[in-house]
Structure formats: structure tokens, C-alpha cells
Amino acid sequence: MTWTSTRDAFATAAEWFATTVAALDSAEPLGWDRPALGEWSRSDLVGHTVRALTTVEQYLDEGTTTSTATTIDYYRVVRSSRADPAAVAERGRQAGRDLGTDRPASVAVIVERVVAQVRDAGGDRRIAAPMGEWALAAYLPTRVFELTVHTIDLRVAAGLDLDPPAAASAEALRVLGLLVGDADPSSGDAPVLLRALTGRAALPSGWSVL
């Protein structure tokens, strides 16, 4: 994938997320407190997902970088320093509350602002995250993955059609491929994945490459 295609996939995923949040505002049965994913309500999950945008804005530095850290390196670092799940859940809830009562309008403003920032940046712009430094081109695919997967979660919860944009799907699947390829072959993951992804068996309930 090129920087241009990654940047465009991010814009497409972000806009699809904003469209979905607008649809949720009138999705039957109504209620932002209705269940969405695990312990998260619709509002909580929207809040968690919007952090895929606000973290870009928060970590984007004025300078450029020569960092060679890759997209998969990001997930390796996250795995090795995994945050407290309760803290992650609470950040999502708080981010949902911070959107206020007009969530579609708040999300639309954030999407427009962050997409414009990414559009005006080069792929070598520095991302200064708490867990390390990346070039924007290496970090942004992780945000496309988050936006696409969680927008699907939201649409499933609300009974909306699953029609992710092709560009967002392609980038998210590319990241998923990196995660599959990074599975530890000595851990027993390899046969589980090889059998499941070739249609020979289902993945165990709750199993994840993340």
C-alpha cells in the first residue's frame, strides 16, 4: 500500500464511521445506552472508536521522523505493555460522554478536522505516542483498522447493513494479514489459524490475533 492509499483509506473509514453514528441516532430500537460490544453501550463504543481519530491529532508532531518502526511493531509494543482492560473501558465511556448529547454532530466535526490534518501531512510526519515513535504512514493503518472493525461492531449492534467501503476494508484486511503473519508458530496459534482460515474448523470462541 502507498501513503496515498493509506491516507485515503483513513478518510474513507472515518467518514463511514461518521455516517454510521448519524444512522445510530435514529436506529430502532432507539437508545445510546443500548448494548453494543461487551460491557460497552453504543455511546461507549462510539467514544472508544472516536479515539482512533483523536489519538492521531494528539500524537501528530510538527516534525518529520526517520523512525523505521513498522505497523506490526506498534501491535508488538501494545501487546507487551497492555493497558488495564478496565481503564481502556472507562476511557471509552468517558470519550462517549465527552461527545455530548449530539453525538453525530460532534463526531462529524472531529472527522472533518482530523481527516484534514492527515490530508495535509506527509507520510514521514512524526507520531510521538506514549509507547514510542512512528512515521504517520506506519501508524495510520492501525487507526484504519480500529475505525473499520469498530464501525462494523456498531452496525451489527444496531442491525444496520454491513457495507464497509472497499478502501477501508482493504487496508483493515492488510493489517489483519500482518497480525496473522506475526502469530507465534510455537504457541499453537499456527494450526488454529491455518485450519480456520482454510475452512477446516472454526476459531475458538473469543480467540483473537490482537
Side-chain angles (χ1 to χ4, degrees):
M1 302 288 282
T2 66
W3 163 240
T4 299
S5 62
T6 296
R7 181 192 63 196
D8 292 348
F10 176 74
T12 301
E15 289 158 3
W16 186 50
F17 170 55
T19 298
T20 297
V21 175
L24 285 171
D25 209 33
S26 57
E28 296 287 350
L30 297 175
W32 283 101
D33 58 348
R34 296 191 64 81
L37 180 68
E39 63 184 284
W40 275 329
S41 67
R42 291 180 184 178
S43 176
D44 300 339
L45 185 52
V46 167
H48 175 75
T49 307
V50 87
R51 285 176 49 80
L53 296 154
T54 57
T55 52
V56 174
E57 184 173 50
Q58 180 182 351
Y59 301 155
L60 190 63
D61 190 79
E62 288 296 328
T64 59
T65 184
T66 58
S67 171
T68 58
T70 65
T71 300
I72 197 63
D73 287 332
Y74 169 82
Y75 289 102
R76 290 170 180 163
V77 171
V78 168
R79 287 192 197 109
S80 67
S81 58
R82 190 172 295 279
D84 176 10
V88 173
E90 180 54 33
R91 283 197 294 271
R93 285 190 285 268
Q94 185 58 54
R97 291 190 290 265
D98 289 345
L99 292 171
T101 56
D102 193 344
R103 293 169 183 83
S106 296
V107 168
V109 168
I110 293 169
V111 165
E112 182 178 8
R113 185 177 69 237
V114 178
V115 166
Q117 290 172 351
V118 169
R119 185 179 61 241
D120 293 341
D124 62 349
R125 279 284 294 277
R126 180 174 181 261
I127 288 290
M131 68 288 292
E133 180 176 327
W134 278 263
L136 180 58
Y139 179 72
L140 202 63
T142 72
R143 305 303 88 193
V144 178
F145 185 77
E146 284 283 308
L147 283 165
T148 305
V149 170
H150 285 315
T151 301
I152 290 172
D153 290 334
L154 287 164
R155 296 184 77 87
V156 168
L160 301 173
D161 291 340
L162 302 182
D163 53 351
S169 293
E171 186 74 7
L173 287 170
R174 185 179 75 85
V175 172
L176 187 60
L178 294 175
L179 289 164
V180 169
D182 198 50
D184 182 358
S186 66
S187 69
D189 289 347
V192 170
L193 282 165
L194 287 168
R195 296 193 72 228
L197 297 179
T198 55
R200 286 160 172 76
L203 284 172
S205 178
W207 198 95
S208 173
V209 294
L210 293 172

